Amino acid sequence: MDGSGRLRALHDQEIVVGYDGSPAGDAAARWAADAAEHFGQRMRLVHVIPGPVPRRAGGAAVALGADVLGRAAERLLDKACRDLRLDHPGLAVDDEVLIGDPVPRLLRMATGSALLVLGSRGLGELRDLAEASVMAQIATHAACPVVVVPAHWTPRAAGHREAVVGVDGSAESWNAIAFAFEFAEQTGASVRAVLAWHDATSTGPGDMLFPVQDVDALREDSAALLAEAVAGQVVDHPDVKVTERLVRGTPAKVLEAESHGAELLVVGSRGRGRIRGLLLGSVSRAVLHHATCPVAVVR
């Protein structure tokens, strides 16, 4: 299924949250609860206890330790679910404790889910590099869209919500655009479609550049691509306010700047656009690390 109508079509599927009790995990749970309320979906908080699953008698000590951790995780999830129900009366929320490697466990949970939501502390500490690697693996391989929420996230007031979507002409970009419009329609947000373009520039000795490059033609081609990319969604979602932004610069830096004040930044997971130099998929990892708002990665 492509991005068009995906969220409306998956009302019988859950929004899954990878939850660890940290401020980032709490922010992810709050974002997911808000989304579940808007889209009429259930949500599930999942806590993964890293470690092996014992398969023989010699694993009794491991099993005992896992049991203690499991009970602590259940208490953690119970409290989180109670808090969410207080803030969102009528919200259908379940919880589950799993043991094992978080990446394959969460990827398995993503299969058949509407969304997988994770929290991010950012890259302020050395330990966060491992977290960033886990997020990148999950965002790249999950069967459903993945939303990464920074720890400082708070929802914007109704009427001031905006979903920013990166455009580059790839299949992933088209699905990301459809997802952004669907999100905007259901949440009352507007859409800002952004295409970052740049001409070839030398970055060091030995760079291979085209001997002649028509910058005006490249700008015109980029503008045409941007208009074409959003045209179909404007027809399908006539009530969504749309702004098109053609910005000269590298995709990662442009999207990071455009994300300031947004409710959501939507990007494709990978893929090359039709115009040379536009590699939106290659910057999804960068915006996951540095964007100041929640980031949705759509395959």
Side-chain angles (χ1 to χ4, degrees), residues 34-227:
D34 190 59
E37 198 168 56
H38 277 106
F39 290 100
Q41 292 168 310
R42 301 181 63 86
M43 66 177 289
R44 179 179 297 271
L45 297 184
V46 176
H47 182 87
V48 182
I49 301 173
V53 178
R55 292 188 172 89
R56 58 184 184 276
V62 175
L64 178 60
D67 186 56
V68 172
L69 292 175
R71 288 196 298 271
E74 288 171 357
R75 291 193 295 271
L76 179 73
L77 292 176
D78 285 344
K79 181 183 184 304
C81 288
R82 287 196 305 272
D83 291 343
L84 289 173
R85 293 188 187 104
L86 286 174
D87 293 335
H88 300 270
L91 177 68
V93 54
D94 299 311
D95 60 80
E96 186 171 355
V97 177
L98 302 174
I99 301 175
D101 186 332
V103 172
R105 290 291 187 178
L106 289 172
L107 287 177
R108 191 170 297 116
M109 292 298 298
T111 302
S113 296
L115 294 172
L116 176 61
V117 185
L118 306 172
S120 171
R121 291 186 298 262
L123 293 177
E125 302 175 21
L126 182 61
R127 63 179 181 177
D128 297 328
L129 296 176
E131 176 200 88
S133 176
V134 168
M135 286 191 305
Q137 291 180 63
I138 293 173
T140 300
H141 300 293
C144 68
V146 175
V147 178
V148 177
V149 183
H152 57 75
W153 175 81
T154 55
R156 295 182 64 81
H160 298 278
R161 295 185 173 190
E162 185 176 42
V164 174
V165 59
V167 177
D168 76 345
S170 66
E172 286 80 2
S173 170
W174 287 83
N175 287 339
I177 295 165
F179 183 95
F181 271 83
E182 182 66 27
F183 175 86
E185 184 174 77
Q186 297 297 317
T187 61
S190 59
V191 169
R192 190 183 346 148
V194 179
L195 191 150
W197 72 279
H198 60 94
D199 54 319
T201 56
S202 176
T203 58
D207 279 356
M208 298 296 293
L209 301 180
F210 290 120
V212 176
Q213 187 172 49
D214 189 335
V215 175
D216 290 336
L218 180 59
R219 184 188 298 109
E220 291 174 5
D221 287 346
S222 299
L225 174 59
L226 178 58

Side-chain angles (χ1 to χ4, degrees), residues 1-28:
M1 178 184 294
D2 64 22
S4 180
R6 177 184 178 94
L7 292 174
R8 281 181 297 184
L10 298 183
H11 279 199
D12 60 334
Q13 297 184 352
E14 296 177 320
I15 296 177
V16 175
V17 182
Y19 185 76
D20 62 0
S22 68
D26 288 334

